[in-house]
């Protein structure tokens, strides 16, 4: 399976995939390329592993430029790993069923435009929810609305802060990102 990973941030989810390939949890999987819509630490992680890395900073043409780089690369799956830009409708339709995203909450709650990073955790705490978690889902034209592939939750403890939720979500993401890719590998 050949995958392309799209990133925008610290790259912990990219690192999760790299580590799983390195230690054999993900076999027969190649990270064919990494594409970033902004300069970020995830780019450094990618270069550290000599992965083909593209920095496409023009947000208006990101989808077009990314599609150009994917041309002829036999990519089986595109993984949005902490990726913050919204892909174009044309791109999503062209790659329908081959794009997955990881979201730091239990969709369908706390999804959609503007729901990313600490804003999600703030909303969960303000709502007084007892649990939170993360979700891996297929990407469709509706932001965070695609079919859910895998979710995992954890209990929110009294006094938990946004930072506590961020840390606990990162732990959950570590597990479900790799598990979801493995699930799709078996399916493909
Ligand atoms: C993660 O919680 C992810 O769900 C969200 O962005 C956060 C940072 O991801 N989309 P990463 O460290 O850049 O992978």
């Amino acid at each position: 399976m050949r995958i392309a990973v799209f990133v925008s941030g610290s790259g912990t989810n990219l690192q999760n995939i790299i580590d799983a390939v390195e230690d054999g949890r993900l076999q027969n999987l190649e990270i064919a390329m990494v594409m970033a819509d902004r300069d970020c630490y995830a780019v450094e992680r990618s270069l550290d592993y000599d992965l083909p890395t593209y920095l496409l900073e023009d947000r208006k043409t990101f989808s077009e430029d990314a599609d150009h780089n994917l041309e002829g690369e036999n990519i089986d799956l595109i993984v949005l790993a902490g990726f913050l830009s919204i892909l174009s409708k044309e791109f999503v339709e062209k790659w329908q069923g081959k794009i997955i995203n990881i979201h730091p909450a239990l969709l369908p709650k706390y999804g959609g435009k503007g729901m990313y990073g600490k804003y999600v955790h703030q909303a969960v705490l303000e709502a007084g929810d007892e649990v939170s978690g993360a979700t891996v889902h297929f990407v469709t034209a509706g932001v965070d609305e695609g079919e859910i592939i895998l979710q995992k939750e954890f209990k929110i403890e009294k006094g938990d802060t946004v930072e506590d939720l961020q840390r606990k979500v990162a732990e959950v993401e570590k597990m479900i990102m790799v598990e979801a890719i493995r699930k799709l590998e078996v399916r493909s």
Side-chain angles (χ1 to χ4, degrees), residues 7-185:
V7 296
S8 301
S10 59
T12 57
N13 285 292
L14 168 63
Q15 192 66 53
N16 292 339
I17 301 169
I18 291 172
D19 295 346
V21 172
E22 297 258 306
D23 67 21
R25 280 173 291 141
L26 285 173
Q27 296 181 346
N28 316 321
L29 184 132
E30 184 188 353
I31 304 173
M33 62 182 73
V34 173
M35 293 197 251
D37 65 344
R38 64 204 70 195
D39 198 3
C40 57
Y41 187 56
V43 168
E44 287 184 39
R45 292 182 195 262
S46 181
L47 295 171
D48 285 350
Y49 285 86
D50 297 326
L51 297 170
T53 307
Y54 301 90
L55 181 50
L56 309 172
E57 293 186 282
D58 185 337
R59 307 278 165 79
K60 288 195 221 59
T61 62
F62 180 91
S63 295
E64 219 177 302
D65 301 339
D67 195 43
H68 176 73
N69 291 337
L70 293 166
E71 209 63 50
E73 289 286 343
N74 302 318
I75 297 296
D76 303 295
L77 184 69
I78 297 169
V79 179
L80 307 188
F83 184 70
L84 296 174
S85 288
I86 307 292
L87 295 167
S88 70
K89 193 165 167 296
E90 296 75 23
F91 186 96
V92 171
E93 278 167 8
K94 179 175 178 182
W95 290 91
Q96 187 82 33
K98 289 188 171 183
I99 315 173
I100 64 172
N101 178 49
I102 190 157
H103 184 79
L106 297 172
L107 295 172
K109 290 174 84 176
Y110 311 110
K113 279 197 177 140
M115 272 298 174
Y116 60 90
K118 67 177 188 325
Y119 303 108
V120 170
H121 309 310
Q122 271 160 3
V124 170
L125 289 175
E126 278 156 20
D129 286 6
E130 292 181 2
V131 294
S132 188
T135 305
V136 178
H137 63 95
F138 283 108
V139 172
T140 57
V143 178
D144 299 331
E145 292 176 2
E147 175 200 342
I148 292 173
I149 300 165
L150 207 54
Q151 278 187 322
K152 194 168 180 53
E153 67 178 50
F154 59 83
K155 200 169 167 329
I156 297 175
E157 306 296 342
K158 200 165 177 330
D160 269 355
T161 62
V162 164
E163 289 70 29
D164 294 323
L165 264 58
Q166 227 155 13
R167 179 175 43 75
K168 290 178 179 180
V169 162
E171 281 310 308
V172 165
E173 290 186 342
K174 205 170 192 162
M175 292 179 252
I176 65 170
M177 174 61 97
V178 172
E179 226 173 297
I181 294 172
R182 199 184 296 145
K183 208 173 165 183
L184 295 174
E185 211 181 352

